[in-house]
Amino acid sequence: MPHPRPLPVPGPVRAASLVLAVAGAALALAGCTGTGRPENAGPTKVASSPARLWPDRPPAPQPPTDKNGQDGPSPVPGLHREGSGNIRKLDVLSVVRAQNTADRRADEPAFSRATERKIDACTTAGVHCPVRAPEYQDLTHDGKPELIVGIEGTGHTLAIWAYTLRNGVVNRILDTAGTPLSVEVADGEVLMREPTGSPGYEMRTVYAWDARRRTMEIRAVEFDHAVSSPSPERTR
């Protein structure tokens, strides 16, 4: 059965609709005064495309690809497989010590010998140990928590390492450091705020999970208004 065609709109209705549409457009362009009379808003600024500076100069050469970097999570050698799949059962001091040993063997130590000796002397993570109490947050969006470790170095520096379990194997998925005013986790992203040389401003770095590389990668670095309070360590 053919569909019925819409009825034509009578001529006077079409004319009235056209007048109202034109009047509405004129008011939108001109603006109104307090008395209701239309007022010219002035010429509209024409948008321009970006002007490239020194277009005749070639760009800087791209740095070579880092052949030593690992495209993916980094298994920590020297640790037993956690068959339960529960990352909370890991001993955080054992993880940090195994990571320090692996980094030093790779000639990439994260800390001085003095800091490593303090870590080796710890009996538990916390107040009197460079290794802060462990935190657990879901960073990979799989519904399971990851282990987040903060290790204090010299000069108010703080190394932030994050670990996940893959088939029971402990893998580091975040390795960064800074002098943070605050560290937060929001929607699985790690946000670190650091001081800058400009009063009233902070640097905000965001690390987010990259499902392809299976690591936490930098998603944004922003120069933002200061919102953080100094940490207790800085206040003292």
Side-chain angles (χ1 to χ4, degrees):
M1 178 182 296
H3 295 285
R5 298 177 60 185
L7 295 175
V9 179
V13 175
R14 291 200 305 270
S17 300
L18 180 59
V19 170
L20 290 175
V22 172
L27 287 174
L29 291 176
C32 294
T33 64
T35 60
R37 295 195 303 271
E39 183 180 81
N40 191 346
T44 303
K45 184 179 180 180
V46 179
S48 61
S49 59
R52 183 174 179 179
L53 305 182
W54 308 293
D56 57 326
R57 303 292 296 179
Q62 296 298 308
T65 303
D66 184 8
K67 301 298 183 180
N68 298 323
Q70 182 171 349
D71 188 11
S74 175
V76 184
L79 291 175
H80 295 293
R81 185 186 299 269
E82 182 52 59
S84 70
N86 186 357
I87 202 166
R88 295 178 183 270
K89 290 188 176 182
L90 295 176
D91 177 62
V92 62
L93 289 178
S94 297
V95 173
V96 172
R97 288 164 182 160
Q99 187 70 71
N100 283 337
T101 300
D103 291 348
R104 190 163 288 281
R105 286 176 178 173
D107 200 22
E108 297 176 351
F111 306 104
S112 64
R113 287 288 192 183
T115 300
E116 289 184 356
R117 285 192 293 269
K118 291 180 181 179
I119 295 173
D120 292 338
C122 292
T123 57
T124 183
V127 179
H128 301 293
C129 179
V131 181
R132 295 184 176 182
E135 297 280 355
Y136 300 93
Q137 296 283 341
D138 182 7
L139 303 179
T140 62
H141 308 290
D142 63 352
K144 299 178 181 179
E146 273 66 50
L147 168 64
I148 305 175
V149 186
I151 308 103
E152 299 172 3
T154 57
H156 299 294
T157 60
L158 181 71
I160 302 174
W161 297 345
Y163 296 87
T164 191
L165 286 176
R166 290 179 56 84
N167 300 321
V169 178
V170 181
N171 287 262
R172 183 166 63 177
I173 59 173
L174 175 62
D175 175 16
T176 188
T179 56
L181 295 167
S182 67
V183 182
E184 302 172 340
V185 174
D187 296 327
E189 297 181 339
V190 178
L191 291 71
M192 182 167 66
R193 285 185 173 271
E194 298 181 81
T196 67
S198 299
Y201 288 90
E202 297 171 352
M203 185 173 68
R204 178 175 178 266
T205 308
V206 181
Y207 300 87
W209 174 248
D210 187 322
R212 182 183 63 83
R213 292 173 57 89
R214 304 192 309 279
T215 58
M216 300 291 289
E217 302 289 338
I218 293 179
R219 185 181 66 81
V221 179
E222 302 168 347
F223 200 62
D224 203 358
H225 289 286
V227 297
S228 302
S229 299
S231 64
E233 291 83 357
R234 290 180 178 274
T235 302
R236 288 195 298 267

